[in-house]
Amino acid sequence: CVSLLVGLEDIKKGAEGSPAKASLVENFPSVLETLRENKLPVTWSMVFGLDNHTPDTFLEAAAFIQEHKIDVNCHLIQPRHGTEFREKLIQQGRLVSDDSRQRDGVHLTYEPFRMTREQTLAGYIWLKDKINSSGFLAERFKSNYQVGGIRYASALASIGLAADWVTAQRMKRMYPELKSEIQKYERLWSGRKG
């Protein structure tokens, strides 16, 4: 096993979802410590574009990832057939496309609730790029190396680069008009850190 994929989904406490996910968020530090003590390599799945998300969600997620030095795989929520989310989007007139080919992680097929489409896509691209930047990667690699050695650390780094960094680069080419919006997130991040 190279890595287990665990659905963290949303780091906001009190967010809608299953009680198990809420418990995971509430007890995240102790769960993470247990996994690391047992040398279990985990990639955490995080979903973005939820109705409770705002532009700050991307900055908060980056801070959470950096604080805990976790490896993540980011996703845009997808309004799949038969889900309450899709039905809600239809009722509210926010479903932009029902084409299943666009539920590919790089297209936004609905109108977000607390963000514009541009803010959502730009924040998503920025986050995927940021968490795979050299500084973030180096911190996680060092932490993972201390937990499980070179194979453990290399496997987790490879998954992040292949899953999120490559997609971020693809999306930057797909959405060149979002360059200034992506730069806004970087300025906010830099101001937050300073």
Side-chain angles (χ1 to χ4, degrees):
C1 174
V2 174
S3 174
L4 302 170
L5 181 64
V6 178
L8 180 58
E9 313 309 353
D10 189 4
I11 61 169
K12 291 185 182 253
K13 292 182 181 174
E16 288 183 36
S18 76
K21 301 284 184 187
S23 178
L24 176 58
V25 171
E26 189 70 35
N27 300 301
F28 189 77
S30 63
V31 170
L32 183 61
E33 183 179 341
T34 300
L35 291 168
R36 286 181 171 157
E37 284 173 0
N38 289 289
K39 296 183 177 8
L40 292 171
V42 172
T43 301
W44 299 92
S45 172
M46 296 178 79
V47 178
F48 295 93
L50 300 170
D51 279 351
N52 65 326
H53 288 177
T54 67
D56 285 342
T57 300
F58 299 104
L59 301 167
E60 292 163 1
F64 183 88
I65 292 162
Q66 186 175 46
E67 174 189 353
H68 296 290
K69 295 177 181 62
I70 58 173
D71 294 270
V72 301
N73 187 235
C74 300
H75 310 277
L76 285 173
I77 189 167
Q78 299 299 316
R80 299 189 190 285
H81 288 276
T83 63
E84 289 179 33
F85 181 61
R86 181 178 174 275
E87 293 308 313
K88 180 173 141 179
L89 291 173
I90 291 170
Q91 289 172 359
Q92 295 176 350
R94 295 193 293 138
L95 188 65
V96 175
S97 172
D98 212 15
D99 185 344
S100 63
R101 293 172 296 181
Q102 290 195 350
R103 291 194 315 256
D104 58 2
V106 296
H107 291 91
L108 190 60
T109 60
Y110 60 94
E111 290 292 337
F113 190 67
R114 292 189 167 93
M115 299 182 272
T116 65
R117 291 175 56 78
E118 292 76 18
Q119 288 172 320
T120 305
L121 285 167
Y124 182 67
I125 294 166
W126 173 83
L127 180 64
K128 287 168 95 57
D129 205 29
K130 177 54 78 180
I131 63 176
N132 288 290
S133 65
S134 59
F136 270 63
L137 276 172
E139 287 179 20
R140 285 197 314 273
F141 192 89
K142 181 179 177 185
S143 175
N144 287 333
Y145 180 79
Q146 291 168 345
V147 169
I150 191 74
R151 182 173 179 223
Y152 179 101
S154 297
L156 288 169
S158 298
I159 291 167
L161 288 169
D164 281 327
W165 184 80
V166 169
T167 304
Q169 304 319 304
R170 176 181 173 208
M171 290 179 77
K172 284 181 191 177
R173 288 189 303 276
M174 287 176 63
Y175 303 106
E177 70 278 8
L178 295 177
K179 184 176 182 178
S180 65
E181 192 70 35
I182 294 167
Q183 290 170 341
K184 284 182 191 176
Y185 280 98
E186 186 59 30
R187 285 192 301 276
L188 289 169
W189 176 259
S190 297
R192 179 183 178 127
K193 301 301 285 175

